[in-house]
Structure formats: structure tokens, C-alpha cells
Amino acid sequence: MATKNTYRILIWVVVILAATNLSMGISFWYHKQQDKKAAGEQQHQVQMPSEQRTRFFREQLNLQPDQVDYFRELNRNYNRSARRISDQLALLRVEMVEEMGKAETDTTKLHAISSEIGEMHKTLKDLTVDYYLDMKAVCNADQQEKLKEVFLSMTKSKEDISLPQRGGRRYGRQNRE
């Protein structure tokens, strides 16, 4: 009798363990598919062509035809310069990570790279300021207010790095005791 009960208990333990493993496997597979799907969507996001961006500003700001032409030229110039700087920043970031990953890390080189990234980032922000001010210069008061709103919404939606919110888990030195 004891053998039969032991056998039944072992069968149920095996069934429970198999169900747990199966559900865990399905969960891992599902989350991996979701990650692939999200990565695919990020890769397929297409930059808005400058003509569409000009059309966007035309519609949002109710631009006159001469203003549209001026915005189009500003947009082309800004995009060329900003793309060049962004590409250089991306290369520098890769170079920085590769240097940090070396067995013998050169901190002097890392600090030089981070300084160069900072300078290029400043240049990009200065370029954006000039772009905004050039557009603002040809807008009337109502258009200027709407332009400000458009830029604010773009600024809020484009964060380079998402930082954890306060109150979450912290893994810094202050929690090591």
C-alpha cells in the first residue's frame, strides 16, 4: 500500500514539475517573440522624409507658401548637418564601448572620447537652437506659439536613455551595507 501511495505521489510530482517546466518554456518563448517583434518594429521605423516634415510644419503652423519654401530649405540644411553629427556620435559611442570592453582599458582615451561626444552633442544642440530660431523668425505670433508646442512635444518624446524612476530598485553603493 505504501508503495502504491508513494508511486501516486511521485506521479503527481512529475506531472506538476512537467507542467511548470512547460509553462516556463512557453513563457520564455512568448517573451522572446515579443522582444523580436519589438526589435523588428524599431528597425522598420522609417525616418520621416524632409518633404513630409515640411508638410507637417505647413499643416501645424498654417504656413504661407513663401514660408513653406523657407522651412523646406532650413529643414534640408539642418538634416544634412544633424545627420553628419549624429553619425559621428554613433561611431564615437561604439568606440567608447569597445574601449571599455578591453582587458587593458585606457581611461585617458575614454575621457577624450567622452569629451568629444560632449562637444559634438553641444554642437548638435546649438544647431537645433539655430534651426528653431530661424524658423521662429519667419513666423507670426500664433505660429511661434504653435512652433514652441511642436518642439516641446518632440523634445519630450525623444529621450536618448530611459532612466529608472525614483522609488524603484537601486543597485548603487548607498544600498550596500
Side-chain angles (χ1 to χ4, degrees), residues 31-45:
H31 288 292
K32 188 174 181 180
Q33 295 302 319
Q34 291 297 328
D35 290 345
K36 283 181 184 179
K37 189 177 181 181
E41 287 174 3
Q42 286 177 351
Q43 288 177 352
H44 293 310
Q45 284 180 344

Side-chain angles (χ1 to χ4, degrees), residues 48 50-64 67-68 71-72 75 131-132 135 143 146-148 150-151 154:
M48 185 187 312
S50 59
E51 192 58 42
Q52 287 182 352
R53 199 170 298 120
T54 304
R55 185 179 316 130
F56 171 78
F57 279 122
R58 182 187 71 212
E59 292 169 359
Q60 292 296 311
L61 305 176
N62 196 25
L63 297 175
Q64 300 302 313
Q67 289 175 309
V68 172
F71 267 59
R72 184 176 294 119
N75 194 34
Y131 176 56
Y132 177 87
M135 287 191 295
Q143 291 171 329
K146 186 64 178 173
L147 180 65
K148 177 183 165 188
V150 168
F151 264 75
M154 289 179 354

Side-chain angles (χ1 to χ4, degrees), residues 14-26:
V14 168
V15 168
I16 291 170
L17 288 174
T20 303
N21 284 339
L22 182 63
S23 66
M24 186 173 52
I26 291 171

Side-chain angles (χ1 to χ4, degrees), residues 161-169:
I161 300 173
S162 294
L163 298 174
Q165 299 298 317
R166 290 190 176 263
R169 287 186 158 175

Side-chain angles (χ1 to χ4, degrees), residues 157-176:
S157 67
K158 288 188 175 183
E159 292 182 8
D160 290 340
I161 300 173
S162 294
L163 298 174
Q165 299 298 317
R166 290 190 176 263
R169 287 186 158 175
R170 294 190 183 132
Y171 296 104
R173 288 186 205 153
Q174 67 272 17
N175 287 340
R176 292 183 195 157

Side-chain angles (χ1 to χ4, degrees), residues 103-114:
E104 297 290 325
T105 303
D106 182 354
T107 55
T108 305
K109 184 175 181 179
L110 285 172
H111 291 295
I113 293 169
S114 68

